[in-house]
């Protein structure tokens, strides 16, 4: 838990961010655009790492907040095109709305004593219902202002973000996303070392016990869930401005579960790992779909099964620990724990 | 039922009072109409065979279960409807039966989780080190808790309970599963804490351990109060000896 | 909204909810595993049934093939993967999602985006001025039959006794010589077989594609949430109650509101009765016995 130690994770994170900051200098603009998409999706993984990895709230509902953010931004900005400063305002309000929606849902669940796998089930049902709902909004009955929700076709022509005179497209958009990602990543790292950061880990490890150390557990859970909702919503808005469209597939079952898969496979208790795995996945998936391969999902499913069976802490985290042991000769926590388990097995 | 609880609080010195507290699970009567009062500065033991309702009473005091009937007063304030974390902030703290420590974290991190709610950042470290010294486990502070022995985990949890600035400490079987030496150490520790003025209510079913440390005791049997008094009175009570021999 | 169309809708919804949920309920109730590949098990049942019916096997036997085939596959999946994750609820969620991805995409690769279906057999009858599909009425009867079969398996056989003992207390069951791992494998296999049966039964009524199972997912999860841990009591009660809610909403406002209604029921039940209907029933029985 000590901050700023030299270990693989920190070095890798520093190198990756350094590389991301300079890479537009020597790659073509199409790749830059692709990477901005990968980075936009990283916020969704960060949101799940925060609430699941750190706080133990297992949610399939991040897609809901992703979609809410995207649709809200689309409807607001398309209704008020031409108004100056509407796009940054839309971004800000969308993020707040995502957080608020998550807080309301969280309030009902956590204060009602709903936890563990039931949170997963409720959020899964919610995602399915919203995806059905959005799919049937094709008619003119579903216009909000001048914008039609558009059923399965979704909403097109969503305006890009504009910061004053600068339109955020191409490299500008890339740097905008990257800077936000860097800032949020650093904030999350700092947060995990804060008082509340320690409390959410305690809640993950033992909810009932943590109440008896004087923590208002449902309140903390609702707030963390809200923060996760805000991050997911941010991801949705960046996605909508990146491709200028959003469709109900944002709420589809696959969208709901992909973050779970990525975070579980990369390392659910580690922000760096989930960013890395997310970017790698989207890169890999895009490569495969570009080459027309149908095997992407099969491979991904197999990876998921194998990782859960053999490296339950996540593959990137496993590599971090391995390298820590090789290069920094440090007894990592994980190893100590594993040895203890071995020890217990030998006695038992 | 909730309002009338304050009226006849005859015992001004009592820090904790249970008035007619009962708990039913479905049709199962776990605790039946218990009256209990613990004086400030007392070292009181709840004793009784398995299934007597001891742990259920602790859970009602901490707000894990809501009593089916009756009321609970802490320092003459009704806390029956208060939530667990609010009770902790009023000064109730507990060490649970199954060690309630965070196994994947270090001992220091465990203490920090307990202490940070009650101490400012600057005082916190000193307080934690003070508690480690008191418990004589300073050398364990950076160990992962899963790697500690059962006894060490028990003491750490007592330390964590103390880090919540308690006015009253509840200990659920503090000596369960400990060897003779560890048990002696634990009894010394509990006495030491009580000598410093901390009110302690603890559960045990080992008569020798209870005789060794408790000032007074309440015997529970099948959810009812069976006997109450000083430890000597209890230990020589024939009916108590009978239920312990299983008659 | 006429009473007969409501009745018709209720028959449809009840059998759909029961059949969608029964396999999931067995696995969840007995093993505490949330099987996210449930929809894919149903889809596999539909594929096996459709393919064998096209090969000339009578439909009813094809459906049995579907159930048995998926049951065997469930057994293999349990031995290979799930058995390593007993007691790790969240990990089993992740792993079954992985399984579902592999099965769904695998079927897409092997059989393409859709399969020629078989037509719904048995035609329809007129009764009291409205027409009912005979096959739908048969499904209603089968759903009740499936509940009865579940009752027989878990209440009347030695396996059922052992599995209930394992569910109550694994340690004690094991110390009395019950091979709990085998019980779990069998349970998973039976749950999978029920899912396969459902797929086979609905194969003649819906379009066959690799996403066939997705249409069952929401209903099955809601029924299990509302029903609680006991697969028999829970599923039948929640199927009945949700069937009424769903059919009223379906006939008055349409399918979408039917789904919303189910979701709201699930959220209310989790809030008010976290153990579901079967939790309430069991509590009531315990109280009665004590008095």
């Amino acid at each position: 838990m000590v901050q700023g130690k030299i270990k693989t994770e920190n070095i890798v994170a520093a190198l990756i961010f350094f590389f991301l900051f300079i890479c537009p200098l020597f790659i073509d603009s199409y790749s830059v655009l692709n990477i901005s998409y990968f980075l936009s999706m990283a916020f969704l993984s960060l949101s799940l790492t925060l609430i699941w990895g750190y706080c133990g709230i297992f949610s399939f509902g991040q897609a809901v907040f992703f979609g809410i953010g995207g649709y809200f931004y689309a409807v607001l900005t398309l209704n008020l095109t031409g108004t100056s400063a509407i796009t940054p305002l839309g971004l800000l309000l969308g993020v707040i709305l995502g957080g608020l929606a998550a807080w309301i849902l969280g309030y009902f669940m956590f204060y009602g004593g709903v936890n563990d796998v039931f949170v997963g089930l409720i959020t899964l049902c919610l995602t399915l219902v919203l995806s059905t709902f959005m799919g049937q909004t094709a008619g003119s009955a579903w216009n909000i202002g001048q914008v039609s929700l558009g059923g399965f076709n979704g909403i097109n022509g969503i305006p890009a973000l504009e910061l004053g005179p600068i339109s955020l497209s191409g490299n500008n958009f890339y740097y905008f996303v990257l800077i936000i990602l860097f800032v949020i990543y650093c904030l999350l790292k700092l947060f995990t070392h804060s008082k509340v950061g320690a409390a959410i880990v305690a809640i993950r490890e033992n909810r009932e016990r943590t109440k008896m150390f004087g923590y208002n557990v449902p309140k903390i859970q609702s707030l963390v869930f809200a923060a996760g909702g805000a991050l997911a919503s941010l991801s949705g808005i960046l996605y909508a401005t990146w491709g200028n469209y959003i469709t109900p597939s944002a709420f589809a079952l696959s969208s709901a579960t992909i973050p779970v898969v990525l975070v579980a496979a990369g390392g659910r208790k580690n922000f760096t790992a989930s960013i890395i795995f997310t970017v790698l996945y989207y890169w890999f998936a895009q490569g495969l779909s570009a080459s027309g391969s149908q095997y992407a999902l099969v491979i991904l499913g197999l990876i998921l099964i194998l990782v859960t069976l053999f490296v339950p802490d996540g593959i990137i985290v496993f590599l971090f620990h391995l390298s820590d042991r090789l290069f920094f000769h440090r007894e990592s926590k994980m190893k100590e724990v594993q040895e203890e388990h071995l020890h217990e097995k030998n006695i038992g | 039922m909730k309002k009338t609880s304050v009226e006849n609080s005859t015992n001004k010195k009592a820090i904790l009072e249970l008035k007619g507290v009962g708990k039913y699970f479905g049709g199962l009567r776990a605790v039946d109409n218990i009256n209990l009062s613990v004086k400030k500065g007392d070292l009181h033991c709840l004793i009784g065979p398995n299934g007597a309702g001891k742990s259920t009473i602790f859970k009602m005091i901490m707000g894990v279960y809501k009593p089916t009937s009756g009321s609970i007063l802490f320092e003459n304030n009704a806390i029956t409807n208060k939530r667990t974390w609010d009770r902790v902030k009023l000064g109730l703290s507990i060490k649970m039966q199954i060690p309630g420590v965070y196994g994947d974290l270090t001992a220091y991190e465990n203490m920090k989780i307990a202490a940070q709610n009650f101490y400012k950042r600057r005082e916190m470290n000193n307080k934690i080190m003070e508690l480690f010294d008191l418990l004589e486990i300073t050398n364990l502070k950076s160990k992962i808790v899963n790697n500690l022995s059962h006894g060490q985990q028990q003491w750490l949890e007592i330390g964590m309970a103390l880090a919540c600035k308690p006015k009253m400490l509840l200990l659920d079987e503090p000596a369960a599963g400990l060897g003779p030496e560890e048990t002696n150490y634990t009894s010394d520790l509990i006495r030491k804490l009580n000598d410093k003025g901390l009110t302690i209510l603890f559960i045990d079913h080992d008569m020798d351990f209870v005789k060794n440390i408790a000032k007074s005791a309440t015997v529970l049997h099948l959810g009812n109060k069976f006997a109450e008094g000083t430890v000597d009175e209890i230990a020589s009570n024939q009916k108590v000896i009978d239920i312990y021999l299983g008659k | 909204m006429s009473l007969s169309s409501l009745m018709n809708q209720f028959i449809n919804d009840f059998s759909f909810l029961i059949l969608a949920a029964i396999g999931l309920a067995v696995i969840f109730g007995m093993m505490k595993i949330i099987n996210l590949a449930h929809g894919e098990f149903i889809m596999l049942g539909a594929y096996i049934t459709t393919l064998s019916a096209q090969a000339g096997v009578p439909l009813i036997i094809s459906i049995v093939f579907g159930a048995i085939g998926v049951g065997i596959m469930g057994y293999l999946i349990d031995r290979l993967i799930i058995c390593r994750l007993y007691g790790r609820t969240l990990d089993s969620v992740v792993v079954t999602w992985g399984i579902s991805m592999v099965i769904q995409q695998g079927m897409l690769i092997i059989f393409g985006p859709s399969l020629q279906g078989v037509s719904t057999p048995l035609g329809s009858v007129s009764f009291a001025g409205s027409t009912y599909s005979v096959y739908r009425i048969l499904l209603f009867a089968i759903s009740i039959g499936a509940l009865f079969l579940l009752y027989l398996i878990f209440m009347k056989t030695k396996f059922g006794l052992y599995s209930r003992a394992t569910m109550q207390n694994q340690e004690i069951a094991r110390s009395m010589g019950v091979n709990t791992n085998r019980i779990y494998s069998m349970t998973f296999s039976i749950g999978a077989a029920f899912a396969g049966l459902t797929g086979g039964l609905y194969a003649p009524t819906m379009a066959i594609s690799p996403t066939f199972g997705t249409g069952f997912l929401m209903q099955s999860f809601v029924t299990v949430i509302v029903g609680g841990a006991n697969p028999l009591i829970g599923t039948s009660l929640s199927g009945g109650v949700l069937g009424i809610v769903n059919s009223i909403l379906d006939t008055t406002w349409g399918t979408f509101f039917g789904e919303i209604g189910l979701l709201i029921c699930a959220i209310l039940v989790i809030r008010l009765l976290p153990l579901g209907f079967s939790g309430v029933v069991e509590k009531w029985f315990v109280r009665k016995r004590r008095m």
Side-chain angles (χ1 to χ4, degrees):
Chain A
M1 267 204 169
V2 181
Q3 217 171 323
K5 257 191 208 169
I6 296 182
K7 52 180 184 176
T8 318
E9 183 194 336
N10 295 341
I11 295 174
V12 170
L15 284 177
I16 286 178
F17 274 108
F18 177 72
F19 174 77
L20 286 171
F21 270 106
I22 59 162
C23 79
L25 297 177
F26 36 74
I27 59 174
D28 60 297
S29 58
Y30 176 72
S31 307
V32 171
L33 202 61
N34 276 339
I35 300 178
S36 2
Y37 164 57
F38 307 156
L39 295 181
S40 304
M41 300 312 280
F43 291 101
L44 194 55
S45 298
L46 284 181
S47 91
L48 195 64
T49 311
L50 174 67
I51 64 167
W52 184 28
Y54 277 88
C55 199
I57 302 166
F58 182 69
S59 162
F60 278 119
Q62 298 319 96
V64 169
F65 310 118
F66 181 93
I68 285 178
Y71 269 97
F72 172 79
Y73 177 85
V75 170
L76 185 78
T77 52
L78 284 173
N79 269 313
L80 299 170
T81 38
T83 318
S84 65
I86 188 62
T87 53
L89 188 68
L91 176 76
L92 197 65
L93 290 178
V95 169
I96 293 171
L97 181 73
L100 198 65
W103 184 81
I104 292 170
L105 180 63
Y107 177 83
F108 277 101
M109 292 193 301
F110 303 126
Y111 279 89
V114 175
N115 270 300
D116 302 323
V117 90
F118 290 105
V119 173
L121 290 178
I122 286 198
T123 47
L124 182 69
C125 293
L126 193 63
T127 315
L128 292 170
V129 167
L130 273 174
S131 121
T132 323
F133 172 72
M134 279 305 182
Q136 52 94 57
T137 56
S140 57
W142 296 104
N143 284 7
I144 300 181
Q146 307 153 30
V147 184
S148 162
L149 292 181
F152 280 112
N153 297 323
I155 304 177
N156 290 304
I158 300 171
L161 283 163
E162 281 169 22
L163 283 184
I166 311 162
S167 172
L168 293 178
S169 57
N171 280 8
N172 289 341
F173 180 67
Y174 173 84
Y175 277 112
F176 180 71
V177 175
L178 182 58
I179 288 169
I180 298 185
L181 182 66
F182 183 69
V183 169
I184 285 180
Y185 172 78
C186 293
L187 286 177
L188 285 173
K189 285 287 235 183
L190 281 177
F191 170 75
T192 56
H193 295 102
S194 73
K195 193 176 146 179
V196 184
I200 64 171
V201 171
I203 291 172
R204 175 189 77 201
E205 298 289 319
N206 192 336
R207 209 168 43 237
E208 288 307 316
R209 186 66 181 106
T210 305
K211 287 181 187 166
M212 293 184 210
F213 289 124
Y215 291 96
N216 187 338
V217 170
K219 184 175 152 195
I220 298 173
Q221 283 178 308
S222 310
L223 288 176
V224 170
F225 197 65
L231 274 177
S233 175
L234 172 65
S235 187
I237 296 169
L238 292 176
Y239 171 78
T241 61
W242 171 79
N244 306 114
Y245 66 88
I246 186 142
T247 67
S249 68
F251 295 110
L253 195 59
S254 55
S255 320
T257 42
I258 272 286
V260 177
V261 172
L262 297 178
V263 167
R268 73 180 73 146
K269 295 173 188 169
N270 191 305
F271 292 115
T272 321
S274 57
I275 292 182
I276 293 176
F277 199 83
T278 306
V279 172
L280 284 179
Y281 163 76
Y282 280 101
W283 190 17
F284 179 72
Q286 206 175 45
L288 276 179
S289 64
S291 65
S293 172
Q294 302 169 301
Y295 292 95
L297 284 174
V298 177
I299 295 172
L300 202 67
L302 286 175
I303 290 178
L304 193 60
I305 296 169
L306 294 176
V307 166
T308 316
L309 288 181
F310 299 110
V311 272
D313 283 312
I315 194 153
I316 305 278
V317 168
F318 172 75
L319 292 176
F320 283 163
H321 284 295
L322 194 71
S323 145
D324 274 352
R325 247 175 293 155
L326 281 178
F327 299 113
F328 299 105
H329 303 286
R330 187 174 292 127
E331 290 283 297
S332 67
K333 274 183 194 178
M334 212 173 94
K335 197 181 163 203
E336 239 184 287
V337 173
Q338 277 170 350
E339 275 171 358
E340 181 64 19
H341 285 319
L342 279 179
H343 185 57
E344 277 170 4
K345 265 182 201 161
N346 289 340
I347 314 172
Chain B
M1 154 178 116
K2 281 155 200 161
K3 288 283 159 93
T4 54
S5 52
V6 191
E7 55 190 8
N8 52 359
S9 54
T10 45
N11 197 340
K12 287 284 181 218
K13 277 183 195 162
I15 184 164
L16 179 82
E17 286 177 274
L18 273 64
K19 294 189 171 176
V21 168
K23 178 69 191 171
Y24 297 74
F25 294 106
L28 181 65
R29 193 188 312 138
V31 172
D32 190 23
N33 196 25
I34 292 276
N35 291 301
L36 178 75
S37 131
V38 180
K39 291 192 197 72
K40 205 166 239 172
D42 200 356
L43 179 46
H44 190 87
C45 179
L46 281 183
I47 187 167
N50 281 331
K54 300 169 304 215
S55 288
T56 308
I57 291 181
F58 265 31
K59 284 181 177 162
M60 287 193 284
I61 296 174
M62 290 311 293
V64 179
Y65 297 149
K66 203 175 151 46
T68 318
S69 62
S71 60
I72 301 173
L73 278 76
F74 184 67
E75 297 192 305
N76 288 322
N77 297 312
I79 58 165
T80 323
N81 293 314
K82 283 215 187 315
R83 294 172 301 184
T84 302
W85 47 88
D86 292 328
R87 298 180 193 209
V88 178
K89 295 210 162 138
L90 287 175
L92 274 167
S93 195
I94 186 172
K95 184 211 83 73
M96 323 242 301
Q97 186 175 7
I98 302 155
V101 288
Y102 304 105
D104 289 338
L105 308 180
T106 64
Y108 186 87
E109 286 166 348
N110 268 271
M111 285 292 249
K112 192 180 139 196
I113 285 168
Q116 65 176 8
N117 248 350
F118 298 89
Y119 294 92
K120 294 205 185 74
R121 204 167 257 278
R122 265 170 286 143
E123 327 163 324
M124 188 177 75
N125 187 45
N126 290 339
K127 183 66 195 178
I128 292 177
M129 294 320 290
E130 195 182 297
L131 285 171
F132 273 130
D133 284 344
L134 177 78
L135 298 160
E136 299 170 32
I137 52 171
T138 313
N139 54 328
L140 304 175
K141 69 172 177 158
S142 45
K143 287 254 198 267
I144 298 285
V145 168
N146 269 340
N147 298 357
L148 302 182
S149 75
H150 178 69
Q152 289 165 336
Q153 291 188 9
Q154 297 260 16
W155 300 323
L156 174 65
E157 198 185 350
I158 294 178
M160 290 162 79
L162 292 173
C164 299
K165 282 193 182 163
K167 293 174 183 159
M168 176 170 180
L169 185 63
L170 308 178
L171 301 171
D172 196 342
E173 304 209 1
L178 298 185
E181 252 176 63
E182 292 175 320
T183 308
N184 280 338
Y185 174 81
T186 306
S187 349
D188 290 347
L189 177 68
I190 293 173
R191 250 184 314 220
K192 193 158 66 177
L193 292 172
N194 184 244
D195 288 344
K196 288 186 174 181
L198 183 63
T199 314
I200 296 177
L201 174 64
F202 74 102
I203 288 178
D204 218 294
H205 47 223
D206 177 359
M207 248 313 182
D208 292 334
F209 182 76
V210 175
K211 265 196 271 188
N212 196 9
I213 62 169
K215 291 177 179 167
S216 59
T218 301
V219 183
L220 294 174
H221 186 49
L222 298 175
N224 288 291
K225 189 150 98 178
F226 193 77
E228 192 167 37
T230 66
V231 179
D232 293 335
E233 287 164 12
I234 296 288
S236 52
N237 183 329
Q238 191 55 44
K239 285 193 297 184
V240 175
I241 296 167
D242 286 348
I243 63 166
Y244 264 88
L245 295 176
K247 282 176 194 167
Chain C
M1 172 178 72
S2 71
L3 194 63
S4 72
S5 67
L6 187 66
M7 197 60 214
N8 199 354
Q9 190 66 40
F10 175 75
I11 285 175
N12 281 344
D13 288 346
F14 177 81
S15 41
F16 188 81
L17 289 168
I18 296 283
L19 290 170
I22 194 164
L24 189 73
V26 167
I27 293 173
F28 174 70
M30 295 292 175
M31 303 171 71
K32 296 285 165 288
I33 282 180
I34 310 274
N35 177 22
L36 283 185
H38 181 65
E40 277 59 45
F41 286 6
I42 292 177
M43 179 266 287
L44 280 179
Y47 267 77
I48 296 174
T49 303
T50 310
L51 290 170
S52 32
Q54 281 169 357
V57 181
L59 184 63
I60 184 159
I61 298 180
S62 308
I63 292 173
V64 174
F65 278 179
I68 293 173
V70 178
I72 292 171
M73 194 208 56
Y75 186 80
L76 292 178
I77 287 180
D78 182 84
R79 287 286 83 201
L80 283 173
I81 300 168
I82 308 290
C83 68
R84 296 160 210 268
L85 299 173
Y86 292 158
R88 286 160 60 187
T89 308
L90 285 183
D91 281 339
S92 66
V93 170
V94 176
V95 117
T96 50
W97 176 247
I99 294 170
S100 102
M101 284 166 83
V102 173
I103 297 179
Q104 196 180 107
Q105 191 67 17
M107 293 305 274
L108 182 68
I109 292 169
I110 300 170
F111 294 105
S114 68
L115 203 64
Q116 172 85 49
V118 288
S119 55
T120 311
L122 301 175
S124 57
V125 289
S126 275
F127 179 72
S130 51
T131 46
Y132 297 88
S133 156
V134 177
Y135 191 69
R136 296 274 176 187
I137 295 171
L138 191 66
L139 283 180
F140 181 71
I142 291 175
S143 67
I144 291 170
L147 286 173
F148 187 66
L149 181 64
L150 196 66
Y151 171 79
L152 289 183
I153 292 176
F154 285 102
M155 304 305 281
K156 294 287 168 197
T157 64
K158 209 172 191 182
F159 162 78
L161 181 67
Y162 286 167
S163 79
R164 279 180 294 136
T166 309
M167 179 191 165
Q168 294 238 314
N169 193 328
Q170 193 192 330
E171 298 299 318
I172 292 177
R174 198 179 287 158
S175 70
M176 293 172 86
V178 177
N179 183 346
T180 53
N181 280 356
R182 226 185 104 224
I183 295 292
Y184 282 139
S185 297
M186 291 293 290
T187 309
F188 196 82
S189 174
I190 289 172
F194 271 116
L197 176 73
T198 305
L201 288 170
Y202 280 95
T205 68
M206 294 159 81
I208 310 292
S209 75
T211 55
F212 183 87
T214 317
F216 292 82
L217 218 50
M218 205 273 277
Q219 284 79 356
S220 62
F221 279 112
V222 168
T223 310
V224 171
I225 291 172
V226 172
N230 186 315
L232 188 63
I233 302 172
T235 313
S236 39
L237 274 180
S238 74
V241 172
L242 292 176
I244 293 171
V245 172
N246 198 8
S247 52
I248 290 175
L249 290 173
D250 273 351
T251 40
T252 29
W253 287 311
T255 322
F256 170 66
F257 285 96
E259 285 191 7
I260 296 276
L262 288 183
L263 185 79
I264 291 170
C265 282
I267 292 176
L268 283 179
V269 166
I270 289 187
R271 224 11 254 259
L272 303 174
L273 319 164
L275 295 176
F277 285 166
S278 64
V280 177
V281 171
E282 272 161 14
K283 229 181 214 175
W284 183 74
F285 267 114
V286 170
R287 188 174 309 165
K288 225 181 148 192
R289 218 172 290 162
R290 298 266 168 190
M291 300 233 173

